[in-house]
Amino acid sequence: MSSVANENPESFGTYFDTAPMAVIETNDKKLRVVRCNKSYREFLDNAFGPLEVGTDVEYEFFKSGYGDAFANAIKRCAKTGDRAFINERFSSDSMIYAFVTRIAVNPVTNVVACSVIILGMPNKNF
């Protein structure tokens, strides 16, 4: 959004990659990033290591390190339909601020799609 607000034509080329965004499918046991922009892929690499887009990740994966509050917020939003703001420490000097909301439920498979937007990552030292 800063590209438009500042009317900086040189930065308009990266307009759609400024905020890390993803669509995540989930059920009670696992989640999967099905669509995301380049900024979100970079966030995944920095925060969790090499996690491929489209790969199922068990919720247990997050219990062993950073991302537990993040994963629980996704799970909760999928179940209740409530929106969530997440503030989670990812290292001694890194925080993430994110917004999660449910966007669709497949009534046949019970898979839920949620959108995730990383609102801020001050001190991106993961």
Side-chain angles (χ1 to χ4, degrees), residues 17-76:
D17 279 341
T18 57
M21 296 180 262
V23 174
I24 295 176
E25 289 183 345
T26 185
N27 60 26
D28 290 336
K29 297 179 182 169
K30 59 189 174 186
L31 59 84
R32 175 185 331 140
V33 176
V34 291
R35 303 270 310 174
C36 66
N37 61 7
K38 179 181 175 185
S39 298
Y40 196 87
R41 282 191 301 276
E42 290 170 0
F43 161 73
L44 284 178
D45 287 344
N46 290 329
F48 301 111
L51 288 178
E52 291 292 322
V53 173
T55 302
D56 289 344
V57 179
E58 302 286 330
Y59 278 107
E60 291 298 315
F61 169 83
F62 300 101
K63 299 227 182 270
S64 63
Y66 299 113
D68 193 39
F70 187 74
N72 284 333
I74 293 169
K75 196 175 190 179
R76 186 176 61 251

Side-chain angles (χ1 to χ4, degrees), residues 6-25:
N6 295 330
E7 298 180 9
N8 183 352
E10 289 81 36
S11 64
F12 191 72
T14 60
Y15 172 74
F16 290 105
D17 279 341
T18 57
M21 296 180 262
V23 174
I24 295 176
E25 289 183 345

